[in-house]
Amino acid sequence: MSDEVMRRHQARAKAKAHPQTGAGTLEGIGRTKKMVTMAMMVAISVALVYLIHFPIMPMVPFLEYDPADIPILIGTFAFGPAAGLMLTFVTAIVQGVTVSAGSGFYGILMHIIATSALVLVAGTVYYSRKTRRTALIGLLAGMAVMALVMIPANMIITPAFMGVPTGTVWSLMPFIIAFNIIKAGINGIVTFYIYKRISNFIRYPDISENVF
């Protein structure tokens, strides 16, 4: 039995022995750990953008892959789609005024739209029944929705902020769609394979709760 699971057993035993004070203590610990973990996910996400970013299609070198959505997806699976949206907004703003300051408000807005679509769908599907199957379905559905949502987002927002003709944006749309699918796919695969391995260290709930 791992130290983390042992601590959970001890906390649950204390809560049963002292129902009122124990339950309150357990809830307080869980709330504090959730806040600390979410802050850590934001910091990791921003650090990943700073350390890892590169173009994946030579034809559109301005579209760069980064793994920033991996910590956000992990936080979404751990704490739910609402928490995932909160992580998305905070990360996008922090990233947009620090490591990605060059993209300005345009970058923040596009980040929020793309990642929100991904985590909202993936988190909602996964939380309907927490299994490996729903995690995979959620990530695939989130990837598809993100790619679709970014079509009108790019057609409307990019010309408005960047001064690029809509015809030019439309001509690049196959590359934009492919980029979003590849980026979300890579981040989804990494999340799928590492979440279960680290879930015990980032969550503090009922140990009877299933984690895929």
Side-chain angles (χ1 to χ4, degrees):
M1 182 180 296
S2 68
D3 292 340
E4 180 71 16
V5 174
M6 179 66 74
R7 284 194 294 270
R8 292 187 187 184
H9 275 297
Q10 292 172 345
R12 285 168 57 81
K14 182 178 179 181
K16 290 180 180 179
H18 306 282
Q20 295 180 335
T21 59
T25 301
L26 189 62
E27 181 181 352
I29 293 173
R31 188 183 302 113
T32 301
K33 183 168 185 178
K34 177 180 178 179
M35 293 176 62
V36 171
T37 301
M38 289 179 66
M40 181 178 66
M41 291 298 157
V42 171
I44 293 173
S45 183
V46 174
L48 285 174
V49 173
Y50 176 73
L51 295 171
I52 305 172
H53 54 93
F54 54 86
I56 53 179
M57 290 183 288
M59 301 75 69
V60 280
F62 53 89
L63 295 177
E64 292 189 330
Y65 167 79
D66 66 73
D69 287 349
I70 294 173
I72 297 175
L73 283 168
I74 290 173
T76 301
F77 279 179
F79 304 120
L85 289 177
M86 184 181 300
L87 284 169
T88 298
F89 274 78
V90 175
T91 301
I93 293 171
V94 173
Q95 177 186 329
V97 298
T98 55
V99 297
S100 301
S103 60
F105 181 73
Y106 170 76
I108 295 174
L109 182 59
M110 297 297 273
H111 187 177
I112 289 174
I113 294 172
T115 305
S116 292
L118 175 62
V119 302
L120 183 61
V121 174
T124 300
V125 173
Y126 174 61
Y127 260 68
S128 67
R129 186 176 182 181
K130 298 179 183 178
T131 64
R132 290 178 64 87
R133 183 172 181 271
T134 55
L136 181 59
I137 293 173
L139 289 168
L140 290 173
M143 176 180 69
V145 171
M146 173 181 167
L148 290 173
V149 165
M150 293 312 292
I151 295 175
N154 274 285
M155 291 299 298
I156 296 170
I157 298 173
T158 299
F161 279 85
M162 307 302 290
V164 180
T166 55
T168 301
V169 177
W170 182 250
S171 68
L172 295 173
M173 196 56 64
F175 300 108
I176 294 173
I177 294 172
F179 168 79
N180 285 317
I181 291 174
I182 294 170
K183 179 181 178 180
I186 294 172
N187 292 337
I189 290 171
V190 174
T191 301
F192 183 79
Y193 280 105
I194 70 173
Y195 174 65
K196 183 176 181 180
R197 292 167 173 79
I198 66 173
S199 61
N200 286 337
F201 299 99
I202 63 176
R203 298 163 67 250
Y204 196 99
D206 183 353
I207 61 169
S208 64
E209 184 177 354
N210 290 329
V211 177
F212 77 86

